[in-house]
Structures are given as structure tokens and as C-alpha cells.
């Protein structure tokens, strides 16, 4: 899906066709600010707290090729990969605040958006925990 006006473009649920790789072609969100000539590649994850840094590095590495090809296709644009990582228990807020500050200029809107993201993650984690404890989701032993 693409939404666009004269100032910005928002792309989600879109698969890019790349020359060199068949993986990492579908980030969660692409934001383009036309006046400033900046494109943000955003990918989200909610790992266990102890896997936070690993997941962040994985996202940065995963979309490197996409960023490279976007730079070739869009000369003059700055391409920034923004891993949006919130731990399953709501951790990592300092890091996501720093990462999303690259996108948001309005600090109040930034704080409200991050707060809503954190609430969503925590509510989904609670739902998953309830399902596990009630036996709806069974743990599989390998």
C-alpha cells in the first residue's frame, strides 16, 4: 500500500525487487520526506528482553542491501535504516526514543507514539502469556 502527497510518501506491505538478493525485500514501513530528501527504512520487532541488541543488529544488517540499492536508484537521498525494537516486556525505550527521534520532529508526538507502541506490545505479551498459562498454546519440546 502506498500513500503519497507532495511532501511525503508512505509505503507499507510492499515487496521491493532487488538485483542482488531475494531476502530482506519487505520492510514493515518506508517513509520518504521529499523536501529533505530522506528515506527511512523501518522494521519492527518485539524480541525477548535478552535478545534486544541481537535483534537490533539483525535488522540493521538485514536491510543493508535494500538501502544500498535505494541509494543507487534515488541519488541525492539520504537512506536511513531504523530498527524499531521494543522488548516483549516493554524494554528498550531509550533506544527506540533515539531511533524514532530521527523521524519525528515534534517531541510530544514522538512520546505519544512510543507510548502507544509500548502499550500495544505489552498487551500482546499479556495475551500470549495468558494463552500459554491456560494451555491454549502448548510448548513444543525439541
Amino acid at each position: 500500500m502506498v500513500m503519497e502527497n507532495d511532501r511525503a510518501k508512505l509505503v507499507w506491505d510492499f515487496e521491493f525487487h532487488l538485483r542482488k538478493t531475494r531476502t530482506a525485500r519487505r520492510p514493515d514501513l518506508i517513509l520518504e520526506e521529499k523536501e529533505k530528501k530522506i528515506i527511512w527504512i523501518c522494521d519492527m520487532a518485539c524480541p525477548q528482553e535478552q535478545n534486544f541488541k541481537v535483534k537490533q543488529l539483525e535488522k540493521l544488517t538485514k536491510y543493508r542491501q535494500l538501502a544500498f540499492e535505494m541509494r543507487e536508484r534515488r541519488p541525492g537521498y539520504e537512506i536511513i535504516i531504523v530498527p524499531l525494537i521494543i522488548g516483549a516486556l516493554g524494554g528498550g525505550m531509550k533506544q527506540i526514543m533515539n531511533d524514532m527521534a530521527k523521524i519525528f520532529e515534534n517531541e510530544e508526538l514522538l512520546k505519544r507514539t512510543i507510548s502507544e507502541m509500548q502499550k500495544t506490545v505489552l498487551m500482546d505479551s499479556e495475551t500470549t502469556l495468558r494463552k500459554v498459562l491456560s494451555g491454549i498454546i502448548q510448548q513444543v519440546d525439541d
Side-chain angles (χ1 to χ4, degrees), residues 1-58:
M1 166 102 32
V2 177
M3 294 178 67
E4 186 172 11
N5 63 25
D6 58 331
R7 297 181 323 154
K9 183 178 185 179
L10 178 93
V11 179
W12 73 93
D13 196 27
F14 183 83
E15 186 171 320
F16 291 87
H17 299 285
L18 305 177
R19 291 185 317 245
K20 298 206 179 214
T21 184
R22 296 237 179 255
T23 61
R25 301 181 306 175
R26 192 182 199 119
D28 292 323
L29 185 66
I30 300 281
L31 300 169
E32 177 182 331
E33 192 169 341
K34 295 176 181 180
E35 287 179 14
K36 292 184 179 179
K37 292 194 169 196
I38 299 174
I39 297 174
W40 293 280
I41 300 171
C42 303
D43 204 53
M44 301 166 214
C46 303
Q48 294 177 358
E49 303 297 318
Q50 67 267 26
N51 296 333
F52 182 87
K53 290 289 184 192
V54 172
K55 185 57 78 172
Q56 185 178 33
L57 181 60
E58 177 187 308

Side-chain angles (χ1 to χ4, degrees), residues 83-139:
L84 301 174
I85 313 296
I86 299 177
L89 300 177
M93 298 319 294
K94 188 181 220 180
Q95 183 65 47
I96 200 166
M97 182 77 89
N98 291 337
D99 290 339
M100 288 185 65
K102 299 170 189 170
I103 300 170
F104 286 84
E105 292 177 357
N106 181 318
E107 189 172 341
E108 183 60 34
L109 181 58
L110 169 65
K111 288 179 180 178
R112 279 197 329 253
T113 302
I114 290 173
S115 176
E116 289 300 314
M117 290 172 69
Q118 187 179 35
K119 283 182 207 173
T120 301
V121 169
L122 290 171
M123 289 189 319
D124 283 352
S125 293
E126 177 190 20
T127 299
T128 301
L129 181 60
R130 287 179 187 272
K131 288 178 180 178
V132 168
L133 294 175
S134 68
I136 294 173
I137 298 176
Q138 300 288 325
Q139 182 176 354

